[in-house]
Amino acid sequence: DLTATFDQALQLLQFRKDTWGITFSFLKVADEQVKAGLTKEAAVTLDQALQLAQSIEEISQRDGTLRYIAAVQARVGKITEALKLAQSIYSRNQHARTLVAIAEAQAKAGKIAEALQLIQFIKEEDAGSDALVAIVEAQAKVGRIAEALQLSESIKNEGARAKGLVAIATALP
């Protein structure tokens, strides 16, 4: 039983000593639960990780952990919770990367308009380019080639634009 296997992995975490390591391990388990389709179980694991993450004293470690939690929350469809968590992230770069992860999750879930709206709040140019690429890829994947091409024009980073164009080219019939 897959659920029992994940439970066993979570039980093993009690033997770790450092809060950051335990929290990050909970996140890895939650991520694997999501991939296995166990979204309810992942939500419980994420809640445990969030409780632990709040106790991490080192700001950069806490911000990185919160970013990862928000990304997994977004992948399981908890966009509101992910956005709320993003607001608590101190580091400007980590905050931007969190918004990218949320926009990517929205785009992959077919919520292109919401993803486009969210990226308006990303101030970091490279992070914004990454979010745009994710949206271009999602548009191309569902056959919205003309929209994907138009959006790819707004990607300032050449490498990111190339990645978007490759996604469009490979999605062509």
Side-chain angles (χ1 to χ4, degrees):
D1 177 353
L2 192 55
T3 302
T5 304
F6 280 118
D7 287 344
Q8 187 178 9
L10 290 169
Q11 288 173 2
L12 286 172
L13 294 179
Q14 68 182 317
F15 298 107
R16 293 210 52 171
K17 302 287 185 227
D18 60 311
T19 304
W20 181 82
I22 295 168
T23 306
F24 196 75
S25 296
F26 266 96
L27 289 171
K28 291 175 98 172
V29 170
D31 208 17
E32 292 302 319
Q33 288 171 319
V34 169
K35 290 175 187 173
L38 301 171
T39 54
K40 289 180 185 175
E41 293 84 349
V44 171
T45 306
L46 280 173
D47 288 343
Q48 293 171 316
L50 183 56
Q51 283 181 338
L52 286 167
Q54 301 296 354
S55 70
I56 297 173
E57 293 181 18
E58 212 297 305
I59 292 173
S60 65
Q61 285 184 344
R62 184 175 56 238
D63 280 354
T65 305
L66 293 177
R67 169 185 160 196
Y68 193 9
I69 292 171
V72 178
Q73 285 177 326
R75 285 198 297 276
V76 298
K78 293 184 159 203
I79 301 298
T80 303
E81 292 89 339
L83 289 169
K84 183 178 177 185
L85 193 54
Q87 291 175 354
S88 71
I89 294 175
Y90 178 76
S91 162
R92 183 177 171 174
N93 183 282
Q94 291 284 12
H95 180 262
R97 291 285 164 199
T98 304
L99 295 180
V100 169
I102 296 168
E104 286 177 350
Q106 288 176 313
K108 287 178 181 173
K111 298 181 178 183
I112 306 292
E114 291 89 340
L116 286 168
Q117 186 176 12
L118 180 59
I119 65 170
Q120 302 301 314
F121 298 100
I122 299 173
K123 305 296 182 211
E124 307 275 327
E125 187 175 314
D126 285 344
S129 293
D130 291 344
L132 286 169
V133 168
I135 296 169
V136 165
E137 290 172 342
Q139 287 175 322
K141 190 173 186 176
V142 297
R144 295 167 59 178
I145 302 299
E147 293 173 51
L149 280 169
Q150 184 178 4
L151 186 58
S152 71
E153 296 286 324
S154 66
I155 301 173
K156 294 177 182 169
N157 179 296
E158 293 295 324
R161 185 178 314 129
K163 184 176 178 184
L165 291 172
V166 167
I168 295 168
T170 57
L172 291 171

